Amino acid sequence: MSLFKRLLNPKKHKSDEKAKQSDTSKYYPEEKLPIDEKFTYNFNKNGGKFLYCESMDEILEAFDNILIENDWYERDVFCVDKNLASRFDGFNLNFTQKGNTTFFLTTCESLVAKNGSILLSSNQIKEKKLSELPFNFVVFATTSQLVDTISEGLRIIKNRNTKQIPTNITTIQDFETDKEKDFMSYGSSTKNLYLLLLEDL
């Protein structure tokens, strides 16, 4: 802008300066949140239900509260992990891999902070698609499974499984059951998801 125009229109000049400052400020480096805070924020934004626990006793108590809240006692539960089924034994649940089940009890590969998603593989879901699994999920995970990005989670899967990399690797990040779908969420499978997170660090 020429000096002449600036003198004639000082208000416009000031507003231009403010706009320029606001433009440059958005290019400053973003304040980096700790990985756990970032995951919690994004996971909650996606509509997930988050239960942080410091001990296995707290995990079992939180699990009991989930069963009470949803009236899930004495129901069929989809679970492929025998160790996990034995860990949550004693709640009058029938753990199975067949037929219609009330909810899916599972572990996960990683918790991805960048988008608040849960990384799963054939270790948890065999060769099933997310749409073939029950609508309700209860995921048991630990704080040591937090990663910043999906690629970091994939690298951990590769390093952990040197002989045979699991197949059917997928993420789930849509937990808002009443959210109106748009074209960006086409093909994604919405789940009602509870995360039981155990502090292990």
Side-chain angles (χ1 to χ4, degrees), residues 138-199:
V138 177
V139 177
F140 172 66
T142 59
T143 50
S144 60
Q145 290 178 280
L146 284 163
V147 296
D148 194 37
T149 62
I150 291 173
S151 59
E152 198 178 323
L154 294 173
R155 195 162 47 249
I156 289 169
I157 292 173
K158 187 179 176 185
N159 293 341
R160 196 185 301 139
N161 303 278
T162 51
K163 290 182 182 176
Q164 189 176 359
I165 295 172
T167 55
N168 200 16
I169 297 170
T170 187
T171 60
I172 176 169
Q173 71 179 65
D174 184 7
F175 318 119
E176 279 192 82
T177 55
D178 55 353
K179 184 176 76 176
E180 193 174 314
K181 294 285 185 186
D182 59 16
F183 76 97
M184 291 295 284
S185 55
Y186 177 77
S188 68
S189 195
T190 304
K191 300 295 180 185
N192 176 37
L193 191 140
Y194 292 88
L195 174 63
L196 296 169
L197 186 64
L198 176 65
E199 175 65 65

Side-chain angles (χ1 to χ4, degrees), residues 94-136:
N94 177 35
F95 296 104
T96 181
Q97 293 181 36
K98 296 174 184 174
N100 264 348
T101 53
T102 305
F103 67 95
F104 176 36
L105 178 63
T106 186
T107 56
C108 66
E109 295 292 343
S110 295
L111 306 169
V112 183
K114 189 172 185 178
N115 59 4
S117 67
I118 312 269
L119 185 64
L120 302 168
S121 77
S122 56
N123 290 334
Q124 290 83 36
I125 60 176
K126 300 294 184 190
E127 297 309 315
K128 289 189 176 287
K129 296 175 185 169
L130 287 177
S131 58
E132 296 171 333
L133 294 166
F135 171 68
N136 301 300

